[in-house]
Amino acid sequence: MQAVLKALGIEEVNPGGFAGQWIGSGKTQLVRSPIDGSPLASVVNVTPAEFDAVLASCHGAFAAWKQVPAPKRGEVVKALGDELRRNKAALAELVTLEMGKTLREGLGEVQEMIDICDFAVGLSRQLYGLTMPSERRQHRLQEQWHPLGVVGVITAFNFPVAVWSWNTAIALVCGDPILWKPSSKAPLTAIACTKIAEKVLRDFGFDPAICSLAIGRGSDIGDLINTDPRVALVSYTGSVPGGRHVGTLVQQRFGRHILELGGNGAVIVSEQGDIDIALRSIYFGAIGTAGQRCTSTRRVIVQKSLHDEFLQRLLDLYERTPIGDPRQAGNLMGPLVDPAAVDTLLAAIETTKAQGGRILCGGERLPLAGGCYVTPCIAAVPGNLPIVQEETFAPILYVMPYGTLEEAIALQNGVTQGLSSAIITNDQREAELFLSAIGSDCGIANVNTGTSGAEIGGAFGGEKETGGGRESGSDAWKAYMRRQTSAINYSGSVELAQGITLEL
Ligand code: NAD
């Protein structure tokens, strides 16, 4: 553990702010590992005055950064990706130590960071604007994309480094500096990543405040980001209530936001589907990251004719789940992030029972090595009970039966969140219906693969209370730039649009 911390420049006590130099004189928090409760290191939060200094230097860095040609900015992102490749093993282990996901998932998360850097390097030469035919003689109509300004990136604990990288790699090539406020449940990985970015920016001779950091409580530092007009875009990842608060504050000042909020992923298992594919996809989707992914599978909607056989095979898998130290390769499930998360799971189990659900396995505290371990739970429910409507951020899987595909789609869509969904079927008509305008209402709709494990090449995000934001691949970059439309007249006379005449 000490070797990993040292390799990433984590000291015993670390300032939690970076404004081109490291600062922090607020409250000190000791970070403990959910694996066994052992102390990792301490972080000193920034005060509101220090936050102001961080934002001022980040905002100041925009003046020069926006003038750097985009392909040159891409070279910086290429070097960032290379530096992440060099630090992949250490960073993955720190993710595991700090928030408890298995090491193989930690490695996958850092790979995602590398992948988005590669994507952004290509993008740096493809920030295309359109040219449109003008309705006026000898006029040209065009649009260009310009850098937007400071991007405030507020992240959740469960993807402590990937979400920063999705935003940062894209924002950097778009010409925007970044101010990161990570979750206080995973501040050490944020310090490690900022140090990596600092090195890269310094190597190129750019202002390192382009990648700034401010660690502190959401209710004070977060609200300073939400309300300050120097932050052009707030990219917020977190719970639905948090997003409602952030979105309202940012909207009040007509700032931009990308909201990436809670999910309630469901998989429809049709009798036309491959049951082995269904089992593997659902099992990983439900127990991966100990059920703490926004795209985790929380509901299985299974055709009545298959219900009992499917459930029995799933129960067999659940009962064999290797749970324990997530650094050990054999374990498929590590701890929850903290003791409060364990209490939330236990409370949800009681509520499920009270509302008529039947607990078929798991949902118990597992006293292992002083860590925050639980057993993964399956509950049989008749439909979307009130507790099923909630995103309990823990490994509880609700299984419900359906008759017709239309009923299954109604169950799938019958929650307030709209992030990720899937159908397991080999019937093309069923798959097409699920993907059609009367099918899944989610931002992600998969066929024969589960709800979690999205690739960076697509735009990531969801509808309804998931917030409507998109980040990562496809054309999500457009949210990080301002669009400018221009009419250019080379006719030598004045001609008004819509045929309006001007007699002088
Ligand atoms: P959370 O809502 O508790 O915290 C998220 C972030 O918001 C943290 O950095 C927190 O400090 C900050 N915050 C708190 N108050 C704030 C305020 N007033 N202003 C600004 N920021 C504030 O979420 P969490 O427990 O860290 O993460 C779990 C949640 O995140 C789940 O709901 C999960 O579905 C969601 N999530 C969504 C996505 C997605 O892409 N849709 C990805 C990962 C996680």
Side-chain angles (χ1 to χ4, degrees):
M1 177 181 100
Q2 288 307 330
V4 166
L5 296 176
K6 189 156 177 262
L8 295 169
I10 305 294
E11 314 278 343
E12 206 176 320
V13 180
N14 303 272
F18 183 68
Q21 56 186 354
W22 288 89
I23 53 173
S25 64
K27 200 168 160 245
T28 300
Q29 64 152 319
L30 175 63
V31 183
R32 290 183 181 278
S33 173
I35 296 175
D36 53 10
S38 61
L40 296 173
S42 293
V43 174
V44 188
N45 288 349
V46 293
T47 62
E50 286 164 342
F51 170 79
D52 193 60
V54 171
L55 179 50
S57 52
C58 187
H59 189 253
F62 181 46
W65 185 241
K66 67 180 167 188
Q67 296 187 57
V68 176
K72 296 271 176 233
R73 299 193 295 250
E75 286 173 20
V76 174
V77 175
K78 181 174 183 306
L80 178 62
D82 289 343
E83 207 54 40
L84 290 170
R85 278 185 179 87
R86 264 191 287 284
N87 287 283
K88 181 174 173 181
L91 202 48
E93 195 165 337
L94 183 57
V95 167
T96 294
L97 280 169
E98 196 172 31
M99 62 69 63
K101 68 174 63 174
T102 62
L103 189 52
R104 66 180 97 179
E105 287 184 88
L107 287 164
E109 176 161 359
V110 181
Q111 186 58 45
E112 210 171 299
M113 303 174 83
I114 294 165
D115 294 344
I116 194 71
C117 285
D118 288 352
F119 178 91
V121 175
L123 179 66
S124 71
R125 290 182 182 270
Q126 300 175 73
L127 301 170
Y128 302 136
L130 296 173
T131 301
M132 306 80 152
S134 169
E135 64 191 54
R136 289 172 283 181
R137 189 182 60 88
Q138 295 187 355
H139 282 61
R140 188 162 63 78
L141 201 56
Q142 68 165 31
E143 63 182 21
Q144 297 187 86
W145 294 88
H146 292 306
L148 182 68
V150 172
V151 179
V153 179
I154 300 176
T155 54
F157 77 84
N158 64 326
F159 274 93
V161 291
V163 173
W164 170 75
S165 72
W166 298 347
N167 284 280
T168 297
I170 303 294
L172 284 178
V173 298
C174 290
D176 303 330
I178 295 96
L179 196 169
W180 185 10
K181 196 215 83 60
S183 164
S184 291
K185 294 176 189 169
L188 299 178
T189 46
I191 291 172
C193 290
T194 303
K195 289 195 171 189
I196 290 170
E198 176 190 4
K199 176 187 180 305
V200 171
L201 287 162
R202 284 196 197 283
D203 286 350
F204 276 84
F206 289 122
D207 184 347
I210 289 167
C211 285
S212 298
L213 178 72
I215 297 173
R217 283 169 59 89
S219 51
D220 46 42
I221 299 306
D223 273 346
L224 291 174
I225 293 175
N226 301 334
T227 51
D228 198 309
R230 288 173 292 179
V231 182
L233 168 66
V234 179
S235 177
Y236 175 85
T237 301
S239 61
V240 170
R244 188 170 280 120
H245 173 82
V246 172
T248 305
L249 287 183
V250 176
Q251 188 58 42
Q252 267 169 14
R253 63 176 173 86
F254 297 110
R256 278 197 205 174
H257 51 62
I258 298 174
L259 298 177
E260 298 282 355
L261 313 179
N264 199 342
V267 179
I268 297 173
V269 184
S270 156
E271 63 186 356
Q272 306 301 328
D274 180 324
I275 198 162
D276 289 320
I277 288 182
L279 282 165
R280 291 179 84 88
S281 311
I282 289 163
Y283 183 62
F284 176 72
I287 66 133
T289 322
Q292 300 167 114
R293 287 187 180 210
C294 51
T295 53
S296 286
T297 306
R298 306 199 177 282
R299 297 175 295 148
V300 177
I301 304 165
V302 56
Q303 199 151 28
K304 278 177 192 154
S305 56
L306 273 184
H307 184 268
D308 293 353
E309 181 201 346
F310 173 81
L311 203 53
Q312 192 49 56
R313 289 184 61 185
L314 193 62
L315 279 165
D316 290 347
L317 273 180
Y318 262 61
E319 268 148 19
R320 285 188 277 122
T321 302
I323 306 166
D325 189 326
R327 291 166 296 184
Q328 286 173 13
N331 287 329
L332 289 183
M333 205 177 103
L336 294 179
V337 69
D338 58 17
V342 177
D343 293 341
T344 303
L345 168 84
L346 298 177
I349 298 289
E350 292 311 313
T351 311
T352 302
K353 287 191 225 163
Q355 291 179 1
R358 276 188 307 123
I359 306 300
L360 303 180
C361 74
E364 283 151 357
R365 195 189 296 272
L366 198 59
L368 268 182
C372 304
Y373 297 90
V374 295
T375 51
C377 170
I378 299 178
V381 290
N384 293 319
L385 300 173
I387 185 68
V388 179
Q389 300 268 351
E390 285 176 31
E391 183 203 37
T392 303
F393 219 48
I396 307 182
L397 184 66
Y398 294 105
V399 180
M400 57 191 86
Y402 79 86
T404 66
L405 184 57
E406 287 70 18
E407 279 167 29
I409 291 172
L411 281 168
Q412 137 66 35
N413 293 345
V415 292
T416 55
Q417 310 86 345
L419 180 55
S420 193
S421 59
I423 188 167
I424 308 295
T425 182
N426 288 324
D427 181 320
Q428 193 183 355
R429 283 190 292 186
E430 285 192 334
E432 293 292 343
L433 185 72
F434 178 73
L435 298 179
S436 76
I438 54 169
S440 164
D441 63 2
C442 290
I444 298 169
N446 293 333
V447 176
N448 290 330
T449 185
T451 57
S452 77
E455 298 179 30
I456 59 96
F460 182 88
E463 304 302 332
K464 303 194 289 187
E465 290 193 357
T466 303
R470 292 293 187 278
E471 43 187 41
S472 197
S474 185
D475 65 351
W477 61 271
K478 290 180 176 171
Y480 299 78
M481 301 198 86
R482 68 182 167 85
R483 187 194 307 239
Q484 183 181 71
T485 303
S486 307
I488 300 146
N489 172 11
Y490 56 96
S491 70
S493 60
V494 173
E495 187 182 336
L496 301 179
Q498 294 88 42
I500 296 171
T501 54
L502 176 68
E503 309 293 345
L504 293 179

